[in-house]
Amino acid sequence: MNVPDIIIAIDGYSSTGKSTFAKLAANAFSFLYLDSGAMYRGVTLYALEHGMTSKDNTIDAAAIVGALADIDVTFRSTPNGSFTYLGERCIEDDIRTLEVSSFVSPVSAIPEVRKYVDARLHALAEGGKVVMDGRDIGTTVFPNAHLKIFMTAGLEVRARRRYDEMIAKGQTPSFEDVVKNLQDRDYYDSHREVSPLTRAADAFVLDNSAMTLDEELIWLRGLIQGRFGILE
Ligand code: DC
């Protein structure tokens, strides 16, 4: 299918399969995939490794803001996909731990951190042909995105997906902790002051609780055909 040079914004709750779906779409249409959550996770990893977080789940926001000029989170494309880097170090696995997940919501609520990530996303998305996923892409980062999708799925389904993903990576979380982390992040992400997670009025809702990836892609193709008048 000949998809025009558009920006596709995919937002939604944690572990709804946004990144898997976004990668699949990017691959199908030869688009660039940008994972905005990975940027927030990269900043959070830096904060964790530089003593800017505490055991009682608090963060040193001033220190994180002060360090932003030294934090270089980028993406590198390879034939095997896109990987997140902190400077010269690949952090793709290190940013997916429960420890990073437990600090990423407060870190991403810092206005200066959001500005830092937004600026990087804008620079990377120039020219279109981009699929981007996150929490506020269709509402704040790219309010004029040509196609907006809001993803959702049941809590148990999401927790099972995240749990299986972590086990596959050799981590050993308890299922209850994964459920609790998702609930906490759902609440935090949708109640924070800056850019809370919310569905853009013009976003199409995709509840993939009982859908296969193939079905999700068929749904997206249908949406694009209808929206852009592509007869194929
Ligand atoms: O998609 P993810 O779970 O990797 O995102 C990690 C966190 O980053 C998520 O809990 C909230 C934050 N985030 C955000 O605030 N805005 C975005 N556009 C993407 C992620």
Side-chain angles (χ1 to χ4, degrees):
M1 190 166 69
N2 210 358
V3 182
D5 295 356
I6 56 172
I7 291 180
I8 303 178
I10 303 179
D11 290 305
Y13 294 101
S14 298
S15 295
T16 44
K18 295 185 298 294
S19 60
T20 309
F21 179 55
K23 275 182 209 157
L24 190 76
N27 200 32
F29 308 145
S30 299
F31 273 31
L32 178 67
Y33 165 61
L34 296 179
D35 177 352
S36 65
M39 288 243 162
Y40 289 107
R41 287 174 179 274
V43 175
T44 305
L45 180 70
Y46 182 98
L48 270 163
E49 293 181 345
H50 289 78
M52 299 171 184
T53 58
S54 317
K55 289 229 157 32
D56 62 355
N57 261 21
T58 54
I59 57 166
D60 184 344
I64 296 171
V65 171
L68 280 175
D70 296 327
I71 305 178
D72 184 26
V73 186
T74 51
F75 301 120
R76 290 192 192 173
S77 290
T78 75
N80 296 324
S82 166
F83 293 88
T84 313
Y85 275 73
L86 184 59
E88 289 303 311
R89 167 182 161 209
C90 179
I91 52 168
E92 197 53 46
D93 285 339
D94 296 345
I95 56 173
R96 313 277 168 202
T97 63
L98 207 48
E99 195 183 21
V100 169
S101 294
S102 67
F103 283 103
V104 69
S105 283
V107 170
S108 65
I110 302 171
E112 289 84 352
V113 172
R114 301 208 70 81
K115 274 195 207 127
Y116 163 97
V117 170
D118 289 3
R120 289 187 170 232
L121 294 174
H122 272 272
L124 291 166
E126 240 172 67
K129 279 191 177 290
V130 167
V131 184
M132 205 175 304
D133 78 331
R135 302 294 187 291
D136 64 338
I137 307 300
T139 50
T140 304
V141 187
F142 283 100
N144 296 325
H146 310 84
L147 188 65
K148 300 181 188 177
I149 295 163
F150 189 85
M151 288 181 68
T152 179
L155 180 65
E156 286 278 317
V157 176
R158 294 193 280 137
R160 173 60 56 191
R161 287 177 186 156
R162 178 55 62 108
Y163 177 81
D164 289 347
E165 207 176 270
M166 294 175 91
I167 294 289
K169 284 189 179 145
Q171 299 173 22
T172 50
S174 82
F175 187 68
E176 290 68 31
D177 284 349
V178 175
V179 171
K180 169 96 175 49
N181 175 256
L182 285 184
Q183 279 174 319
D184 288 350
R185 284 202 291 150
D186 283 356
Y187 184 85
Y188 207 110
D189 294 345
S190 19
H191 288 82
R192 68 172 172 233
E193 224 159 89
V194 196
S195 260
L197 167 66
T198 169
R199 180 175 81 82
D202 52 350
F204 294 90
V205 175
L206 173 62
D207 182 337
N208 67 2
S209 301
M211 282 171 90
T212 64
L213 276 173
D214 276 352
E215 288 168 339
E216 289 181 50
L217 194 57
I218 290 168
W219 176 87
L220 178 62
R221 284 181 188 279
L223 195 63
I224 292 176
Q225 284 176 339
R227 187 89 167 66
F228 300 100
I230 300 167
L231 303 169
E232 219 181 321

